Amino acid sequence: MIAAIVLSLVYRQIQHLTDVLRCLEVEGLLWVEAMSVSRQALSQRLGSLPAHLFISLFEQVIERLAVKNNATEVAPMWASIASKFCAVWIADASTLEAVKKHLGQLQEKTGA
């Protein structure tokens, strides 16, 4: 289970242990079925993991990610952008748009 957690932390770039716990409880991680684990149990388990084993797993995942990222082909129309930037982030504002519309509807109402 710890190997699946470490791999998921690095590969999926999960930033917080609470997100790991949520993923583990809702969908499972890699080959580990969904299960409920306390934050304290996860923290203790990660704390007992030998550093050399963590480093070994971490380095293997990083190496595979580097190979995967190098193999990614870029469409010709994006080549000029890809040469200048290492990543392009796209945000979907549909949720914010829904909130904006909802707030607009609330502003029309009077009272609390």
Side-chain angles (χ1 to χ4, degrees), residues 73-90:
E73 292 184 25
V74 177
M77 64 185 229
W78 295 102
S80 64
I81 293 172
S83 66
K84 296 176 186 170
F85 301 99
C86 63
V88 175
W89 294 90
I90 299 173

Side-chain angles (χ1 to χ4, degrees), residues 23-55:
C23 288
L24 187 59
E25 186 172 335
V26 172
E27 62 196 49
L29 296 173
L30 299 173
W31 59 87
V32 177
E33 296 291 326
M35 66 174 66
S36 181
V37 178
S38 71
R39 174 182 258 159
Q40 182 180 7
L42 179 60
S43 181
Q44 287 177 348
R45 186 67 68 96
L46 286 173
S48 67
L49 180 67
H52 69 279
L53 183 58
F54 179 85
I55 291 169

Side-chain angles (χ1 to χ4, degrees), residues 59-111:
E59 288 174 343
Q60 288 177 25
V61 174
I62 293 297
E63 286 174 11
R64 292 193 184 187
L65 283 175
V67 169
K68 180 183 173 188
N69 287 340
N70 289 340
T72 303
E73 292 184 25
V74 177
M77 64 185 229
W78 295 102
S80 64
I81 293 172
S83 66
K84 296 176 186 170
F85 301 99
C86 63
V88 175
W89 294 90
I90 299 173
D92 178 10
S94 59
T95 302
L96 294 176
E97 195 62 33
V99 170
K100 180 181 168 187
K101 287 179 183 178
H102 181 70
L103 290 176
Q105 292 170 353
L106 291 177
Q107 289 173 353
E108 295 170 2
K109 294 184 179 183
T110 58

Side-chain angles (χ1 to χ4, degrees), residues 1-22:
M1 179 172 91
I2 291 299
I5 291 171
V6 172
L7 292 174
S8 296
L9 281 168
V10 178
Y11 185 75
R12 293 175 62 179
Q13 298 179 0
I14 299 175
Q15 297 179 3
H16 304 283
L17 287 182
T18 52
D19 294 334
V20 171
L21 289 170
R22 183 189 50 77

